[in-house]
Amino acid sequence: MEGADASASHKYAKELQVGVRVVQMACSLCQKLQKGSVGPSPDHVVSKDDDSPVTVADWSVQAMISWMLSESFGRENISIVAEEDAQTLSDDSATSLLASVVATVNETLAMAPRFGLKGPTKPLGGSEILDSINRCNSTGGPVGRHWVLDPVDGTLGFVRGDQYAVALALIENGQVVVGVLGCPNYSSKRKLVNNSSVRSDLWQEGCVMYTSKGSGQAWMQPLVQGHWSLEWPNSASVIRVSSIDNPVMATFCEPVEKTNSNHSYSAGIAHRVGLRKQPLRVYSMVKYAAIARGDAEIYMKFAKAGYKEKIWDHAAGVVIVEEAGGVVTDAGGRPLDFSKGVYLEGLDRGIVACSGVNLHEKIIGAVYASWDSSHL
Protein backbone atom coordinates (compact mmCIF):
# COMPACT_ATOMS: atom_id res chain seq x y z
CA MET A 1 0.00 0.00 0.00
CA GLU A 2 2.50 2.50 -1.25
CA GLY A 3 0.42 5.63 -0.77
CA ALA A 4 -0.36 4.91 2.86
CA ASP A 5 3.30 4.20 3.55
CA ALA A 6 4.38 7.43 1.93
CA SER A 7 1.74 9.66 3.53
CA ALA A 8 2.00 8.38 7.09
CA SER A 9 4.34 9.89 9.58
CA HIS A 10 6.24 7.02 11.15
CA LYS A 11 4.33 7.42 14.40
CA TYR A 12 0.96 6.61 12.81
CA ALA A 13 2.04 4.30 9.97
CA LYS A 14 0.40 1.16 11.37
CA GLU A 15 -2.78 2.98 12.39
CA LEU A 16 -3.16 4.46 8.92
CA GLN A 17 -2.45 1.20 7.13
CA VAL A 18 -4.90 -0.80 9.24
CA GLY A 19 -7.46 1.99 8.95
CA VAL A 20 -7.32 2.05 5.16
CA ARG A 21 -7.58 -1.74 4.96
CA VAL A 22 -10.62 -2.03 7.25
CA VAL A 23 -12.40 0.83 5.49
CA GLN A 24 -11.74 -0.88 2.15
CA MET A 25 -13.32 -4.02 3.63
CA ALA A 26 -16.28 -2.01 4.90
CA CYS A 27 -16.86 -0.44 1.48
CA SER A 28 -16.84 -3.88 -0.10
CA LEU A 29 -19.40 -5.03 2.47
CA CYS A 30 -21.68 -2.06 1.73
CA GLN A 31 -21.44 -2.48 -2.02
CA LYS A 32 -22.38 -6.14 -1.78
CA LEU A 33 -25.38 -5.31 0.38
CA GLN A 34 -26.48 -2.64 -2.07
CA LYS A 35 -26.16 -5.02 -4.98
CA GLY A 36 -28.02 -7.76 -3.10
CA SER A 37 -25.19 -10.29 -3.38
CA VAL A 38 -25.06 -10.79 0.39
CA GLY A 39 -27.55 -10.35 3.20
CA PRO A 40 -30.99 -8.69 3.07
CA SER A 41 -32.32 -5.91 0.89
CA PRO A 42 -30.57 -2.63 1.70
CA ASP A 43 -33.98 -1.02 2.23
CA HIS A 44 -34.43 -3.11 5.39
CA VAL A 45 -34.40 0.00 7.55
CA VAL A 46 -35.01 0.30 11.28
CA SER A 47 -35.82 3.64 12.91
CA LYS A 48 -33.82 4.60 15.99
CA ASP A 49 -35.22 6.50 18.96
CA ASP A 50 -34.38 9.82 17.28
CA ASP A 51 -36.17 8.65 14.09
CA SER A 52 -32.89 8.42 12.17
CA PRO A 53 -32.48 5.23 10.09
CA VAL A 54 -30.16 2.30 10.74
CA THR A 55 -29.59 -0.74 8.50
CA VAL A 56 -27.82 -4.09 8.47
CA ALA A 57 -24.91 -2.26 6.84
CA ASP A 58 -24.49 0.11 9.82
CA TRP A 59 -24.34 -2.70 12.38
CA SER A 60 -22.25 -5.00 10.17
CA VAL A 61 -19.59 -2.38 9.41
CA GLN A 62 -19.35 -1.35 13.05
CA ALA A 63 -19.01 -4.96 14.25
CA MET A 64 -16.42 -5.81 11.58
CA ILE A 65 -14.25 -2.73 12.12
CA SER A 66 -14.49 -3.03 15.91
CA TRP A 67 -13.34 -6.65 15.73
CA MET A 68 -10.49 -5.89 13.32
CA LEU A 69 -9.19 -2.93 15.33
CA SER A 70 -9.29 -5.00 18.53
CA GLU A 71 -7.35 -7.79 16.85
CA SER A 72 -4.81 -5.40 15.33
CA PHE A 73 -4.09 -3.28 18.40
CA GLY A 74 -5.22 -5.43 21.32
CA ARG A 75 -8.69 -5.32 22.79
CA GLU A 76 -7.43 -3.90 26.07
CA ASN A 77 -5.78 -0.98 24.23
CA ILE A 78 -8.75 0.03 22.12
CA SER A 79 -11.19 2.85 22.78
CA ILE A 80 -13.83 3.25 20.06
CA VAL A 81 -16.43 6.01 19.79
CA ALA A 82 -19.11 4.99 17.29
CA GLU A 83 -22.65 5.81 16.30
CA GLU A 84 -24.51 2.54 16.76
CA ASP A 85 -25.34 0.25 19.67
CA ALA A 86 -26.72 -3.29 19.71
CA GLN A 87 -29.87 -2.65 21.73
CA THR A 88 -32.24 -3.32 18.82
CA LEU A 89 -30.28 -6.38 17.67
CA SER A 90 -30.34 -7.81 21.20
CA ASP A 91 -34.14 -7.87 21.30
CA ASP A 92 -35.82 -11.27 21.11
CA SER A 93 -37.84 -10.07 18.13
CA ALA A 94 -34.71 -9.27 16.13
CA THR A 95 -33.46 -12.81 15.57
CA SER A 96 -33.55 -12.64 11.78
CA LEU A 97 -32.00 -9.17 11.77
CA LEU A 98 -29.12 -10.35 13.94
CA ALA A 99 -28.68 -13.42 11.73
CA SER A 100 -28.32 -11.15 8.70
CA VAL A 101 -25.68 -9.07 10.45
CA VAL A 102 -23.77 -12.18 11.58
CA ALA A 103 -23.77 -13.62 8.04
CA THR A 104 -22.69 -10.30 6.50
CA VAL A 105 -19.86 -9.77 8.98
CA ASN A 106 -18.51 -13.30 8.63
CA GLU A 107 -18.52 -13.19 4.84
CA THR A 108 -16.55 -9.94 4.99
CA LEU A 109 -14.07 -11.17 7.60
CA ALA A 110 -13.40 -14.23 5.46
CA MET A 111 -12.01 -11.86 2.80
CA ALA A 112 -9.55 -10.20 5.21
CA PRO A 113 -6.43 -11.76 3.63
CA ARG A 114 -7.28 -10.04 0.34
CA PHE A 115 -6.91 -6.76 2.19
CA GLY A 116 -3.67 -7.70 3.93
CA LEU A 117 -5.33 -8.47 7.28
CA LYS A 118 -5.89 -11.60 9.34
CA GLY A 119 -9.45 -12.72 9.93
CA PRO A 120 -10.85 -15.03 12.62
CA THR A 121 -9.99 -18.74 12.58
CA LYS A 122 -13.69 -19.58 12.68
CA PRO A 123 -16.91 -17.63 12.05
CA LEU A 124 -18.05 -15.30 14.80
CA GLY A 125 -21.25 -16.07 16.67
CA GLY A 126 -24.09 -13.74 17.48
CA SER A 127 -22.84 -12.95 20.98
CA GLU A 128 -19.39 -12.05 19.60
CA ILE A 129 -20.97 -9.75 17.01
CA LEU A 130 -23.07 -8.01 19.66
CA ASP A 131 -20.00 -7.68 21.86
CA SER A 132 -18.03 -6.08 19.02
CA ILE A 133 -20.79 -3.52 18.43
CA ASN A 134 -21.24 -2.72 22.12
CA ARG A 135 -17.49 -2.42 22.63
CA CYS A 136 -17.73 0.88 20.75
CA ASN A 137 -19.05 2.63 23.84
CA SER A 138 -16.27 5.11 24.52
CA THR A 139 -17.17 8.78 24.88
CA GLY A 140 -13.74 10.04 23.82
CA GLY A 141 -12.29 13.05 25.59
CA PRO A 142 -9.10 15.11 25.85
CA VAL A 143 -6.74 12.33 26.98
CA GLY A 144 -5.58 9.16 25.26
CA ARG A 145 -6.29 7.53 21.92
CA HIS A 146 -9.84 7.09 20.66
CA TRP A 147 -10.92 5.63 17.34
CA VAL A 148 -14.01 7.42 15.99
CA LEU A 149 -16.29 5.54 13.60
CA ASP A 150 -19.38 6.35 11.61
CA PRO A 151 -20.06 2.96 10.00
CA VAL A 152 -22.42 4.33 7.35
CA ASP A 153 -22.46 8.11 7.27
CA GLY A 154 -25.49 9.16 5.27
CA THR A 155 -27.67 6.08 5.77
CA LEU A 156 -30.45 7.67 3.70
CA GLY A 157 -27.98 8.05 0.84
CA PHE A 158 -27.03 4.39 1.21
CA VAL A 159 -30.66 3.25 1.15
CA ARG A 160 -31.44 5.41 -1.88
CA GLY A 161 -28.36 4.33 -3.83
CA ASP A 162 -26.90 7.83 -3.48
CA GLN A 163 -23.73 9.07 -1.76
CA TYR A 164 -22.67 7.74 1.64
CA ALA A 165 -19.38 7.19 3.42
CA VAL A 166 -17.55 4.94 5.87
CA ALA A 167 -15.64 7.26 8.17
CA LEU A 168 -12.85 6.25 10.55
CA ALA A 169 -10.56 8.59 12.46
CA LEU A 170 -8.07 8.38 15.30
CA ILE A 171 -8.07 11.11 17.94
CA GLU A 172 -5.03 11.41 20.19
CA ASN A 173 -5.17 13.78 23.14
CA GLY A 174 -8.00 15.71 21.56
CA GLN A 175 -6.42 16.05 18.09
CA VAL A 176 -7.50 14.14 14.98
CA VAL A 177 -4.28 12.43 13.83
CA VAL A 178 -5.54 9.87 11.29
CA GLY A 179 -8.49 10.09 8.92
CA VAL A 180 -9.86 7.51 6.48
CA LEU A 181 -12.95 8.14 4.38
CA GLY A 182 -14.45 5.44 2.19
CA CYS A 183 -16.84 6.70 -0.50
CA PRO A 184 -18.30 3.66 -2.31
CA ASN A 185 -20.38 5.66 -4.82
CA TYR A 186 -17.95 8.54 -5.41
CA SER A 187 -16.10 7.69 -8.59
CA SER A 188 -12.33 7.65 -8.43
CA LYS A 189 -12.02 8.08 -12.20
CA ARG A 190 -9.90 11.09 -12.97
CA LYS A 191 -7.14 12.22 -15.29
CA LEU A 192 -3.85 10.75 -14.08
CA VAL A 193 -0.83 12.99 -14.53
CA ASN A 194 2.09 11.40 -12.69
CA ASN A 195 0.72 7.88 -12.37
CA SER A 196 0.48 6.66 -15.93
CA SER A 197 1.31 3.11 -14.90
CA VAL A 198 -2.10 2.66 -13.29
CA ARG A 199 -4.44 0.57 -15.38
CA SER A 200 -7.40 2.79 -16.24
CA ASP A 201 -9.87 -0.08 -15.86
CA LEU A 202 -8.95 -0.34 -12.16
CA TRP A 203 -10.32 3.13 -11.44
CA GLN A 204 -13.84 1.95 -10.89
CA GLU A 205 -16.65 3.49 -8.90
CA GLY A 206 -15.74 4.37 -5.37
CA CYS A 207 -12.60 5.44 -3.58
CA VAL A 208 -10.91 5.68 -0.19
CA MET A 209 -9.20 8.89 0.92
CA TYR A 210 -6.83 9.05 3.85
CA THR A 211 -4.15 11.02 5.64
CA SER A 212 -2.27 11.47 8.89
CA LYS A 213 -1.90 14.80 10.65
CA GLY A 214 1.26 16.67 9.77
CA SER A 215 1.96 14.69 6.59
CA GLY A 216 1.02 17.64 4.40
CA GLN A 217 -0.60 15.29 1.90
CA ALA A 218 -3.81 13.33 1.47
CA TRP A 219 -4.19 10.27 -0.71
CA MET A 220 -6.88 8.53 -2.72
CA GLN A 221 -7.01 4.98 -3.94
CA PRO A 222 -9.78 3.14 -5.81
CA LEU A 223 -11.83 0.54 -4.04
CA VAL A 224 -10.61 -3.01 -4.43
CA GLN A 225 -12.52 -4.54 -7.33
CA GLY A 226 -12.84 -8.04 -8.72
CA HIS A 227 -9.80 -10.24 -8.08
CA TRP A 228 -7.43 -7.36 -7.36
CA SER A 229 -6.01 -7.13 -3.86
CA LEU A 230 -4.97 -4.12 -1.84
CA GLU A 231 -1.31 -5.04 -2.36
CA TRP A 232 -1.45 -4.04 -6.02
CA PRO A 233 1.22 -1.29 -6.33
CA ASN A 234 0.82 2.33 -7.32
CA SER A 235 -2.91 2.34 -6.57
CA ALA A 236 -2.84 5.62 -4.63
CA SER A 237 -2.54 9.18 -5.87
CA VAL A 238 -2.04 12.45 -4.02
CA ILE A 239 -5.14 14.65 -3.86
CA ARG A 240 -5.13 18.44 -3.45
CA VAL A 241 -7.81 21.04 -2.98
CA SER A 242 -8.88 23.28 -5.84
CA SER A 243 -6.94 26.45 -6.59
CA ILE A 244 -10.12 28.39 -7.39
CA ASP A 245 -10.51 31.36 -5.06
CA ASN A 246 -13.03 33.41 -7.05
CA PRO A 247 -16.50 32.98 -5.50
CA VAL A 248 -18.12 33.32 -8.93
CA MET A 249 -16.42 30.12 -10.06
CA ALA A 250 -16.66 28.23 -6.77
CA THR A 251 -18.87 25.22 -6.11
CA PHE A 252 -20.35 24.89 -2.66
CA CYS A 253 -21.79 21.86 -0.91
CA GLU A 254 -24.38 21.56 1.79
CA PRO A 255 -26.37 18.68 3.35
CA VAL A 256 -29.37 17.21 1.55
CA GLU A 257 -31.48 17.03 4.70
CA LYS A 258 -33.22 20.18 5.86
CA THR A 259 -34.02 18.75 9.31
CA ASN A 260 -30.71 19.70 10.90
CA SER A 261 -29.40 22.24 8.41
CA ASN A 262 -30.52 25.79 7.63
CA HIS A 263 -30.48 25.97 3.83
CA SER A 264 -31.96 29.46 3.69
CA TYR A 265 -29.18 30.92 5.84
CA SER A 266 -26.54 29.18 3.69
CA ALA A 267 -28.21 30.65 0.61
CA GLY A 268 -27.98 34.11 2.13
CA ILE A 269 -24.26 33.70 2.82
CA ALA A 270 -23.71 32.36 -0.70
CA HIS A 271 -25.44 35.40 -2.19
CA ARG A 272 -23.51 37.81 0.04
CA VAL A 273 -20.09 36.49 -1.06
CA GLY A 274 -21.08 36.24 -4.73
CA LEU A 275 -21.46 32.49 -5.23
CA ARG A 276 -23.32 32.00 -8.52
CA LYS A 277 -23.65 28.24 -8.76
CA GLN A 278 -26.53 26.30 -7.29
CA PRO A 279 -25.54 24.41 -4.12
CA LEU A 280 -24.42 20.83 -4.52
CA ARG A 281 -26.52 18.96 -1.97
CA VAL A 282 -24.75 15.78 -0.96
CA TYR A 283 -25.35 13.13 1.67
CA SER A 284 -22.61 12.36 4.19
CA MET A 285 -18.95 13.31 4.52
CA VAL A 286 -18.58 12.96 0.75
CA LYS A 287 -18.85 16.78 0.94
CA TYR A 288 -15.45 16.86 2.65
CA ALA A 289 -14.12 14.38 0.09
CA ALA A 290 -15.27 16.62 -2.77
CA ILE A 291 -13.32 19.56 -1.35
CA ALA A 292 -10.21 17.46 -0.60
CA ARG A 293 -9.91 16.26 -4.19
CA GLY A 294 -10.79 19.56 -5.83
CA ASP A 295 -14.32 18.87 -7.06
CA ALA A 296 -15.82 21.62 -4.86
CA GLU A 297 -14.45 24.62 -2.99
CA ILE A 298 -16.85 25.30 -0.10
CA TYR A 299 -18.89 23.29 2.39
CA MET A 300 -21.20 25.18 4.73
CA LYS A 301 -23.44 23.76 7.41
CA PHE A 302 -25.43 25.91 9.78
CA ALA A 303 -27.39 23.73 12.16
CA LYS A 304 -30.82 24.63 13.42
CA ALA A 305 -31.29 25.60 17.05
CA GLY A 306 -30.89 22.69 19.45
CA TYR A 307 -28.92 20.40 17.14
CA LYS A 308 -25.47 19.33 18.31
CA GLU A 309 -22.86 18.11 15.84
CA LYS A 310 -21.26 14.74 16.63
CA ILE A 311 -17.55 14.09 16.22
CA TRP A 312 -17.99 11.00 14.01
CA ASP A 313 -19.76 13.13 11.39
CA HIS A 314 -16.68 15.33 10.88
CA ALA A 315 -13.39 13.96 12.28
CA ALA A 316 -12.13 11.99 9.27
CA GLY A 317 -13.27 14.57 6.72
CA VAL A 318 -11.75 17.53 8.55
CA VAL A 319 -8.21 16.16 8.78
CA ILE A 320 -8.28 14.97 5.16
CA VAL A 321 -9.33 18.41 3.90
CA GLU A 322 -6.72 20.14 6.07
CA GLU A 323 -3.85 17.92 4.94
CA ALA A 324 -4.98 18.31 1.31
CA GLY A 325 -4.47 22.06 1.71
CA GLY A 326 -7.89 23.24 2.84
CA VAL A 327 -9.23 25.11 5.88
CA VAL A 328 -11.96 23.92 8.27
CA THR A 329 -13.29 25.93 11.21
CA ASP A 330 -16.54 26.78 12.92
CA ALA A 331 -18.43 29.79 11.60
CA GLY A 332 -16.54 32.03 14.00
CA GLY A 333 -13.23 31.03 12.44
CA ARG A 334 -12.09 28.77 15.30
CA PRO A 335 -10.75 25.21 14.87
CA LEU A 336 -13.22 22.43 15.64
CA ASP A 337 -12.68 20.95 19.11
CA PHE A 338 -12.67 17.14 19.14
CA SER A 339 -11.57 16.90 22.78
CA LYS A 340 -14.92 17.36 24.52
CA GLY A 341 -16.43 13.91 24.01
CA VAL A 342 -19.09 12.76 21.57
CA TYR A 343 -20.22 16.27 20.58
CA LEU A 344 -18.42 19.22 19.02
CA GLU A 345 -19.00 21.37 22.06
CA GLY A 346 -18.62 25.14 21.84
CA LEU A 347 -19.30 25.19 18.10
CA ASP A 348 -19.88 28.76 16.94
CA ARG A 349 -22.97 28.82 14.72
CA GLY A 350 -21.88 26.23 12.18
CA ILE A 351 -19.07 24.65 10.16
CA VAL A 352 -17.22 26.12 7.19
CA ALA A 353 -14.76 24.14 5.07
CA CYS A 354 -12.97 25.78 2.15
CA SER A 355 -10.30 24.92 -0.37
CA GLY A 356 -8.23 27.94 0.61
CA VAL A 357 -7.77 30.85 2.99
CA ASN A 358 -9.21 33.55 0.68
CA LEU A 359 -12.58 31.87 0.22
CA HIS A 360 -12.67 30.94 3.90
CA GLU A 361 -12.12 34.55 4.99
CA LYS A 362 -14.90 35.72 2.69
CA ILE A 363 -17.36 33.19 4.11
CA ILE A 364 -16.49 33.94 7.73
CA GLY A 365 -16.73 37.67 7.04
CA ALA A 366 -20.16 37.22 5.50
CA VAL A 367 -21.32 35.23 8.53
CA TYR A 368 -20.31 38.00 10.89
CA ALA A 369 -21.84 40.67 8.67
CA SER A 370 -25.17 38.90 8.31
CA TRP A 371 -25.61 37.26 11.68
CA ASP A 372 -27.75 40.01 13.21
CA SER A 373 -30.29 39.62 10.43
CA SER A 374 -30.35 35.82 10.45
CA HIS A 375 -33.33 33.85 11.66
CA LEU A 376 -31.33 30.97 13.12
Side-chain angles (χ1 to χ4, degrees), residues 86-104:
Q87 183 176 347
T88 300
L89 288 178
S90 302
D91 192 273
D92 291 339
S93 63
T95 306
S96 62
L97 195 60
L98 176 59
S100 295
V101 172
V102 171
T104 303

Side-chain angles (χ1 to χ4, degrees), residues 215-244:
S215 63
Q217 288 184 321
W219 296 76
M220 179 180 72
Q221 63 181 198
L223 296 185
V224 171
Q225 302 285 341
H227 65 278
W228 296 99
S229 74
L230 199 56
E231 299 302 326
W232 192 76
N234 301 320
S235 64
S237 60
V238 174
I239 54 174
R240 294 295 294 173
V241 296
S242 165
S243 60
I244 292 174

Side-chain angles (χ1 to χ4, degrees), residues 294-316:
D295 291 342
E297 286 74 38
I298 299 167
Y299 163 36
M300 294 185 285
K301 183 181 182 185
F302 300 98
K304 293 185 176 179
Y307 182 77
K308 296 176 72 175
E309 297 286 351
K310 302 175 184 70
I311 60 174
W312 52 68
D313 287 325
H314 300 280

Side-chain angles (χ1 to χ4, degrees), residues 246-269:
N246 183 346
V248 173
M249 300 174 64
T251 297
F252 86 96
C253 303
E254 64 180 356
V256 176
E257 305 92 331
K258 296 180 180 179
T259 309
N260 299 318
S261 182
N262 195 321
H263 285 179
S264 61
Y265 184 75
S266 296
I269 296 297

